[in-house]
């Protein structure tokens, strides 16, 4: 039996949109406001007689997401009331979109998109453990919220994670959401089922997923739990589960409502929109505002010869990406400096920065963003790359320089290199001095070499390189060494 089941996952992802004001009123949309209940007004507090107005910035944000996903943008759209009672929802209904989402279809990271629609966020409930009281902060109530739904076509926890990461990157690139999962700016719900090939099993929905890792672990856990149930001849109950990160297990939250329970109907206070009649939303205008998308940028870097993994980190990590972009500008496509820069950023600078931000190597770097700025100016970095590209310094010296500059050295790299005798071209005299000193110090090894022991040369070479702190061009050093030995 085991191994015959195929997992199926469909994701529902909410993202708080970055806008000046809330979805249906002019209260400020400020996720960083610490004081409770300051960004509120009669509309988002649902005072009788107040009327909502659609936020055009939020509509434009969702349409841009649709353009990036190559989806169908709605022509006709409307907002519906989703009725349910809870203190975080002062109107007694949430304004959402049911029949006519702004965006339908499309694809991201190989996953088909069902729809993307616009709705409003609920207020935040704050539970006070000591008093047992719950307080409500309406600052978040009415903030524009985008919901993206995928088709049930994902078949592994890893692919689900990749999809969610790619969406986060897209939202950030478009500037439509900060999409920080820890802050709840992006919330992922995973629907999970298992079935024999060609069938679709009963699904559960998992909530409370606060990170990509938590989502992947929850999906894996749930697939195993469902396998065990089916193997015992039991059934999966359709329900909503929570993820307990401390226990690393899912737990039942509630039996799922059907959509009939929400009594959706079009909101009579809001106009329906006919987008083709509204110049603001014309797709050719929006398209002109589209930035380079993550997959386009990765493809551009790979076309420059950058390894796929490195291109991925440059696009994911803004600091690395900015620096690499400055090298592309400085050297130009096709120049050896571009690939040298890519390697020094992806290897040397990343380890320097990893140490600086005290991230452990075990941490999944995809989840932890390198938060510190690169401690070296783009100008100095590119000068160091130029020196190594032109053969003026060795790669050993380049690595050393990066550490020195990361620790705060500010001087011009060319001057620094000259002042510290690190230029390979200036080294010929120094090479000869060091070589003769090493030969004088090691008469027995020299004798071994003369009697034909090849290993003796390697030892002497190593000694010289050590004296030179690795700064020598290996070929020049070898030549100088053989020259001096022949002269003896
Ligand atoms: P519901 O009516 O329960 O809300 P939907 O059909 O609207 O279900 O789908 C909601 C989410 O669940 C979508 O992301 C969809 O891809 C996913 N989904 C639907 N059926 C399954 C299934 N059998 N297994 C896994 N995910 C599913
Ligand atoms: Mg549904």
């Amino acid at each position: 039996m085991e191994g015959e089941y195929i997992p199926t996952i469909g994701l529902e992802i909410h993202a708080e949109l970055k806008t000046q004001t809330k979805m249906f009123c002019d209260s400020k949309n400020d996720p960083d406001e610490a004081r409770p209940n300051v960004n509120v007004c009669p509309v988002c507090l649902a005072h009788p007689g107040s009327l909502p107005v659609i936020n055009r910035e939020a509509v434009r944000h969702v349409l841009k997401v649709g353009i990036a996903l190559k989806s169908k943008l709605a022509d006709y759209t409307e907002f519906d009331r989703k009725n349910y009672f809870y203190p975080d929802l002062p109107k007694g209904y949430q304004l959402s979109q049911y029949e006519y989402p702004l965006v339908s279809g499309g694809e991201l990271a190989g996953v088909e998109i069902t729809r993307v629609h616009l709705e409003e966020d609920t207020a935040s409930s704050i539970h006070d453990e000591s008093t047992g009281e719950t307080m409500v902060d309406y600052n978040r109530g009415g903030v524009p919220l985008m919901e993206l739904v995928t088709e049930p076509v994902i078949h592994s926890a890893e692919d689900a994670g990749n999809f969610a990461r790619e969406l986060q990157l897209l939202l950030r690139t478009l500037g439509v959401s900060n999409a920080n999962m820890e802050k709840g700016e992006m919330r992922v719900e995973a629907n999970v089922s298992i079935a024999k090939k060609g069938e679709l099993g009963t699904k559960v929905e998992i909530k409370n997923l606060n990170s990509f890792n938590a989502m992947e672990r929850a999906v894996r856990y749930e697939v195993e739990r469902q396998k065990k149930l089916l193997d015992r001849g039991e059934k999966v109950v359709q329900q909503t589960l929570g993820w307990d990160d401390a226990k690393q297990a899912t737990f039942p939250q509630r039996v799922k409502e059907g959509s009939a329970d929400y009594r959706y109907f079009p909101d009579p206070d809001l106009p329906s929109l006919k987008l083709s009649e509204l110049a603001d939303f014309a797709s050719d205008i929006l398209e002109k505002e589209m930035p380079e998308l993550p997959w386009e940028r990765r493809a551009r870097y790979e076309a420059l010869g950058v390894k796929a993994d490195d291109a991925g980190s440059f696009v994911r990590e803004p600091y690395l990406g900015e620096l690499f972009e400055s090298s592309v500008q400085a050297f130009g496509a096709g120049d050896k400096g571009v690939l040298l820069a890519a390697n020094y950023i992806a290897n040397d600078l990343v380890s320097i920065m990893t140490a600086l931000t005290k991230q452990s190597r075990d941490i999944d770097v995809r989840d932890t963003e390198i938060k510190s700025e690169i401690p070296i100016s783009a100008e100095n970095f590119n000068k160091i790359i130029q020196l190594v590209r032109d053969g003026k310094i060795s790669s050993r010296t380049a690595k050393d320089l990066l550490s020195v500059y990361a620790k705060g050295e500010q001087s011009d790299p060319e001057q620094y290199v000259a002042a510290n005798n690190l230029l390979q071209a200036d080294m010929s005299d120094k090479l000869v001095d060091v070589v003769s000193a090493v030969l004088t110090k090691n008469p027995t090894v020299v004798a071994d070499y003369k009697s034909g022991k090849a290993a003796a040369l390697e030892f002497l070479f190593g000694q010289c390189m050590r004296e030179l702190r690795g700064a020598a061009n290996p070929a020049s050093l070898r030549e100088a060494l053989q020259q001096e030995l022949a002269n003896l």
Side-chain angles (χ1 to χ4, degrees), residues 300-301 304 306 323-333 338 341 382:
R300 177 164 63 89
Y301 288 169
L304 290 172
V306 177
L323 185 60
F324 181 63
E325 202 59 50
S326 82
S327 306
V328 176
Q329 296 301 319
F331 295 102
V338 172
N382 289 324

Side-chain angles (χ1 to χ4, degrees), residues 319-463:
Y319 291 119
L320 302 183
E322 251 170 62
L323 185 60
F324 181 63
E325 202 59 50
S326 82
S327 306
V328 176
Q329 296 301 319
F331 295 102
D335 190 286
K336 199 174 151 214
V338 172
L339 292 187
L340 283 171
N343 285 334
Y344 282 102
I345 295 172
N347 302 318
D348 303 270
L349 272 184
V350 165
S351 30
I352 289 169
M353 288 167 67
T354 304
L356 284 176
T357 50
K358 297 193 182 62
Q359 289 173 350
S360 134
R361 283 218 161 265
D362 309 335
I363 295 176
D364 184 347
V365 289
R366 291 176 306 175
D367 255 10
T368 50
E369 286 170 67
I370 295 173
K371 300 227 171 53
S372 80
E373 276 186 58
I374 295 184
I376 173 171
S377 73
E379 195 188 355
N380 284 343
F381 174 76
N382 289 324
K383 279 189 177 164
I384 293 172
I385 298 301
Q386 197 171 344
L387 287 167
V388 67
R389 181 200 65 178
D390 295 345
K392 292 191 177 154
I393 58 172
S394 69
S395 59
R396 178 69 255 157
T397 303
K399 285 177 206 291
D400 290 347
L401 284 180
L402 289 179
S403 300
V404 170
Y405 276 78
K407 288 193 189 105
E409 178 61 43
Q410 302 281 344
S411 63
D412 183 279
E414 257 175 86
Q415 287 167 10
Y416 182 92
V417 158
N420 291 276
N421 277 332
L422 297 168
L423 280 170
Q424 288 189 142
D426 291 355
M427 284 195 59
S428 45
D429 288 349
K430 197 170 175 197
L431 281 188
V432 175
D433 292 351
V434 167
V435 167
S436 8
V438 166
L439 295 187
T440 315
K441 239 196 274 171
N442 295 282
T444 46
V445 187
V446 172
D448 284 349
Y449 172 77
K450 292 274 175 193
S451 66
K453 280 194 189 159
L457 182 67
E458 294 315 311
F459 174 81
L460 295 169
F461 179 84
Q463 291 299 304

Side-chain angles (χ1 to χ4, degrees), residues 12 98 147 149 203 205 256 259 264:
E12 294 169 283
Y98 187 56
E147 180 175 359
V149 182
K203 70 169 155 65
E205 181 179 341
K256 192 159 167 59
S259 64
Y264 280 100

Side-chain angles (χ1 to χ4, degrees), residues 26 88 367 418 474:
D26 60 8
D88 63 9
D367 255 10

Side-chain angles (χ1 to χ4, degrees), residues 25-97:
C25 62
D26 60 8
S27 293
K28 211 167 153 202
N29 171 11
D30 179 8
D32 297 323
E33 177 55 69
R35 298 163 299 165
N37 296 309
V38 288
N39 293 324
V40 292
C41 76
V43 176
C44 55
L45 291 178
H47 289 189
S50 65
L51 286 172
V53 176
I54 299 169
N55 181 333
R56 66 184 66 223
E57 198 185 4
V59 175
R60 288 167 63 83
H61 281 353
V62 173
L63 291 174
K64 279 189 186 171
V65 172
I67 291 174
L69 303 175
K70 298 203 163 32
S71 314
K72 186 174 175 306
L73 307 187
D75 185 23
Y76 176 86
T77 189
E78 62 186 27
F79 287 90
D80 301 283
R81 290 187 179 181
K82 179 180 183 180
N83 297 281
Y84 67 96
F85 179 76
Y86 206 70
D88 63 9
L89 196 66
K91 293 194 287 287
Y93 57 84
Q94 179 189 33
L95 286 169
S96 181
Q97 297 191 290

